[in-house]
Amino acid sequence: TGEATAAAEDTITKEKVHYLPRVDYDPEPTLDFLAKVFHVELFEDEEVLTWMSGRTPGYPRSEDELAGKMRRIHKHQAFYYGTSTCRKAPDGKLYNRKSLFCRLHVVVLDDIGTKVNPASLPAELTPTYIIESSPGNFQWGFVLEEPVDNLDHAQALVSLVYRSGYTDAGGNMPTKLVRLPAGFNMKPGQEEMAVKLVSFKGPRWTPDDLLRVLETGLTWSDITSDDTTRLKQALVKSLGATAWSPVHVQAPSHQGIVDPALEW
């Protein structure tokens, strides 16, 4: 329920973070950041999803709700937003569900600098923005020139980006939670690490340019055309299993046979 969610948000693990000092948040830089990411005019029923939490995000909030909470609260929190906008559910509430998908606005790569060496990435892969979420660990955001309004196309784009071999394969989903440049890391031992916007000076991207620079071997028209043969072949090659499986194969047999159920 809403009351239970609110209660959970007000209960940060006391034995670990009770000592954290009072903090005052200014929502304006966060709203400005979101305006730059969601730079196109939104549809009437299109909602930007945001989260705030002490540890694990709960249900999403609207931008206005987030701004209101930031003005009122004074405890350490982590802040997130969704890479895709969604419509409200029939009950009038916001949920981060593929069934409510509206448009993919940004593709974000995690763990640059830790799991992924920036020097290993293509020279042309200039992110629109960079956020430091923990010491030496960055998220690179690639804001799309025009958002993608087809869920299958959005999933295919994200799958190809994350299976390109240039980044960690986690986070292969269009409705992905990523960091806002506000608040704190809030992972155990990093409760006082402020999440910072390093830059927002890069170009906006087209899906075609992302696919080309990441050397996926496919064009955007390969994804959006009625004939998806090349797309399915590319995904099978990169995933090693069925075309739309989100699971990267770890245990093929000696004969190369893949058991999809076992992989799941």
Side-chain angles (χ1 to χ4, degrees), residues 136-157:
N137 191 58
F138 302 88
Q139 288 190 342
W140 284 15
F142 300 85
V143 176
L144 298 179
E145 188 72 48
E146 294 292 336
V148 178
D149 61 4
N150 180 290
L151 177 59
D152 289 337
H153 298 165
Q155 179 64 72
L157 174 63

Side-chain angles (χ1 to χ4, degrees), residues 2 27 44 110 115 150 159 168-169 176 182 192 195 206 226 242 257:
E44 186 175 345
D110 291 314
K115 293 183 181 179
N150 180 290
S159 293
D168 183 74
K176 177 178 170 64
E192 293 186 85
V195 177
T206 66
D226 292 334
T242 55
I257 297 172

